[in-house]
Amino acid sequence: SALDELFGESQYAQTAAEAEELSQEIWTFWLHPDVPELDRRIGEASELIRVGDYPHALSALSSIIKDFPDYSEAWNQRATLYYLVHDYADSLADIAKTLTLEPRHFGALTGRAMIYMQQGRREDAMRDIAAALKIHPFLDERQLFPDMAPPVTYI
């Protein structure tokens, strides 16, 4: 699939700009599914999060998950919402579901690493950020782990 090709290319990105371009294409796939109703609903839920209407965003995302339980990005968006309101237990549960549905979800891996860091679970955070970096070697969150080797950049 086109998504598989993007993931294949992202692992071998030579520059941060190339990695970012591929990452944006992957996010476009995740956030704009082929099902028009689902695309509309996830767009509405994302907008509710963006404007800070968390109660309605939670309701919208939970409804999407009920109707489309195999849509990984709905789980990831709800995990992000839970993270924003400091509900780490529910965020971690939704991240786990996201990763079950899409093991290459570098956003979910990064989010879990951030929670683990806040919980003082540095070893777990390092494991997740390392897994995310295998998928997207130029993640901005890398800078939160200064002891990790930087990616090699070719000009």
Side-chain angles (χ1 to χ4, degrees):
S1 76
L3 188 58
D4 290 334
E5 287 179 31
L6 289 170
F7 274 116
E9 291 175 38
S10 74
Q11 294 176 52
Y12 302 105
Q14 300 291 310
T15 65
E18 181 185 356
E20 182 58 28
E21 183 179 319
L22 291 164
S23 146
Q24 289 305 315
E25 290 183 50
I26 290 168
W27 279 108
T28 297
F29 266 92
W30 285 339
L31 287 166
H32 298 286
D34 289 338
V35 179
E37 176 196 355
L38 181 54
D39 184 40
R40 178 187 56 76
R41 288 172 66 187
I42 197 68
E44 290 169 356
S46 296
E47 179 63 13
L48 289 167
I49 293 172
R50 192 188 70 71
V51 300
D53 188 350
Y54 297 158
H56 287 108
L58 178 60
S59 176
L61 289 166
S62 295
S63 176
I64 293 168
I65 286 167
K66 180 177 169 279
D67 295 342
F68 299 91
D70 294 334
Y71 177 47
S72 65
E73 192 53 33
W75 292 94
N76 183 61
Q77 291 295 310
R78 194 171 73 174
T80 300
L81 177 59
Y82 284 138
Y83 176 82
L84 291 170
V85 299
H86 307 288
D87 181 348
Y88 299 142
D90 283 334
S91 184
L92 288 170
D94 280 3
I95 289 169
K97 183 63 177 178
T98 301
L99 292 170
T100 297
L101 294 168
E102 176 50 85
R104 304 168 296 188
H105 202 300
F106 52 85
L109 287 164
T110 302
R112 190 164 66 183
M114 303 293 289
I115 292 171
Y116 286 160
M117 286 295 285
Q118 292 189 5
Q119 294 177 331
R121 297 169 62 184
R122 185 166 176 75
E123 212 172 287
D124 290 330
M126 292 286 287
R127 183 193 66 236
D128 277 351
I129 205 71
L133 288 168
K134 283 182 183 168
I135 301 162
H136 184 331
F138 292 90
L139 281 171
D140 290 340
E141 289 82 3
R142 171 189 284 280
Q143 53 196 307
L144 299 173
F145 300 87
D147 46 338
M148 294 188 84
V152 176
T153 304
Y154 301 94
I155 298 178

